[in-house]
């Protein structure tokens, strides 16, 4: 019988952390929590409520109105409404930085995410999971990957999921901007925790990444 653990995972946008770790979670029968989806859902909630993203107070006024429930990869409920189809929308990508840099939103997100993992057996993915949300996780992983390889993967994913507009140069620009923003914001920035195991997936296939991670987990 495997011991119950929490695995904290951070990494750059499009590094493969969500898709690879989702599959790892299925193999190991662990809960999979992608915190990026929660930030995206909250951003879309603000878009739908016509919030002015330049006004932090307006953003903060939405926190108490927001109720999030993850059903599965395709069904994400916000106040009972399915947000699954919206989480990769362009208006989400463009505005998420205003959400992610808001101190009160981050406080709310960190508390929400900690409540979700009170019982162990979770894989939690994000930007501040190894450093802020779950610094005591039994395994901490940092995913990285070259910008070009990540843009290519997102472009191909968009084709598969019929997401438009889908322009490689725009995706590349957005990923660079997001990296820069995620690494340089003052609250909850993306950084490599000193206890994290670093995995560079630039030259690894999906299956190869799975294999090295499953090997690593087995050692724990
Ligand atoms: O992982 P994903 O690309 O879906 O995340 C979308 C955005 O949400 C990130 O670029 C980041 O700004 C924000 N995020 C965050 N902290 C997390 C997860 C996501 O700031 N734990």
């Amino acid at each position: 019988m495997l011991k119950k653990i929490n695995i904290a995972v951070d990494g750059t946008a499009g590094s493969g952390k969500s898709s690879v770790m989702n599959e790892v979670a299925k193999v190991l029968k662990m809960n999979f929590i992608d915190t990026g989806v929660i930030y995206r859902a909250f951003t879309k909630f603000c878009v739908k409520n016509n919030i002015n993203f330049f006004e932090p107070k307006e953003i903060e006024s939405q926190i108490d109105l927001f109720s999030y429930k993850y059903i599965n990869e395709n069904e994400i409920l916000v106040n009972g409404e399915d947000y699954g189809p919206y989480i990769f929308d362009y208006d989400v990508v463009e505005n998420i930085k205003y959400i992610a840099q808001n101190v009160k939103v981050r406080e709310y997100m960190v508390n929400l995410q900690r409540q979700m993992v009170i019982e162990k057996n979770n894989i939690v993915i994000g930007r501040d999971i190894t450093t802020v949300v779950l610094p005591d996780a039994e395994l901490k992983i940092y995913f990285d990957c070259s910008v070009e390889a990540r843009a290519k993967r997102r472009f191909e994913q968009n084709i598969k999921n019929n997401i438009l507009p889908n322009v490689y140069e725009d995706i590349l620009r957005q990923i660079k901007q997001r990296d820069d923003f995620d690494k340089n914001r003052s609250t909850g920035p993306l950084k490599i925790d000193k206890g994290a195991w670093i995995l560079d997936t630039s030259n690894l296939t999906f299956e190869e990444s799975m294999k090295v991670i499953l090997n690593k987990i087995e050692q724990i």
Side-chain angles (χ1 to χ4, degrees):
M1 165 112 174
L2 287 174
K3 83 173 172 189
K4 297 248 185 273
I5 61 168
N6 278 333
I7 302 177
V9 183
D10 286 324
T12 45
S15 56
K17 58 191 187 311
S18 296
S19 51
V20 173
M21 293 312 290
N22 193 5
E23 206 49 39
V24 168
K26 283 183 191 158
V27 171
L28 299 178
K29 298 193 170 38
M30 295 179 76
N31 298 317
F32 176 74
I33 301 170
D34 186 344
T35 62
V37 174
I38 316 179
Y39 281 89
R40 284 170 182 271
F42 184 68
T43 307
K44 190 68 190 188
F45 183 68
C46 292
V47 169
K48 280 182 173 248
N49 290 344
N50 293 319
I51 292 308
N52 177 354
F53 284 93
F54 297 113
E55 289 292 339
K57 288 261 173 309
E58 276 200 38
I59 294 174
E60 289 157 19
S61 74
Q62 299 302 296
I63 295 173
D64 289 339
L65 307 175
F66 176 76
S67 160
Y68 175 87
K69 193 164 165 45
Y70 179 87
I71 308 289
N72 58 45
E73 284 147 64
N74 304 313
E75 204 177 352
I76 292 128
L77 298 185
V78 174
N79 298 1
E81 186 187 343
D82 184 10
Y83 270 44
Y86 309 131
I87 56 164
F88 293 106
D89 280 0
Y90 191 72
D91 50 17
V92 170
V93 178
E94 285 293 291
N95 291 307
I96 204 160
K97 57 181 175 292
Y98 304 110
I99 298 299
Q101 73 184 4
N102 185 295
V103 178
K104 290 224 160 59
V105 172
R106 293 208 81 87
E107 268 171 24
Y108 163 80
M109 293 289 179
V110 171
N111 284 330
L112 176 73
Q113 291 156 21
R114 284 185 181 152
Q115 280 166 24
M116 290 169 132
V117 299
I118 290 174
E119 267 186 49
K120 288 195 179 180
N121 202 36
N122 304 286
I123 295 182
V124 190
I125 315 283
R127 301 292 188 289
D128 57 347
I129 310 302
T130 58
T131 52
V132 180
V133 180
L134 294 177
D136 297 327
E138 281 77 3
L139 175 62
K140 302 199 246 186
I141 309 177
Y142 184 93
F143 267 67
D144 209 353
C145 184
S146 75
V147 185
E148 291 75 17
R150 287 187 278 145
K152 188 165 168 273
R153 280 183 202 162
R154 181 59 50 102
F155 179 73
E156 284 162 3
Q157 220 172 38
N158 284 350
I159 294 176
K160 212 172 107 198
N161 297 326
N162 287 323
I163 290 168
L164 292 169
N166 187 27
V167 181
Y168 174 83
E169 286 72 24
D170 289 348
I171 297 172
L172 188 74
R173 178 184 55 82
Q174 279 173 357
I175 289 181
K176 280 183 184 163
Q177 274 176 356
R178 234 160 16 113
D179 274 4
D180 195 44
F181 200 80
D182 283 340
K183 288 176 179 170
N184 295 312
R185 66 169 166 248
S186 53
T187 36
L190 172 65
K191 52 184 180 195
I192 304 178
D193 185 84
K194 52 181 182 317
W197 173 60
I198 302 170
L199 181 68
D200 189 324
T201 62
S202 307
N203 298 311
L204 295 181
T205 62
F206 185 88
E207 288 73 23
E208 287 165 344
S209 303
M210 288 257 322
K211 204 167 160 204
V212 282
I213 291 163
L214 286 170
N215 273 341
K216 182 77 183 173
I217 296 171
E218 216 169 84
Q219 291 163 21
I220 295 189

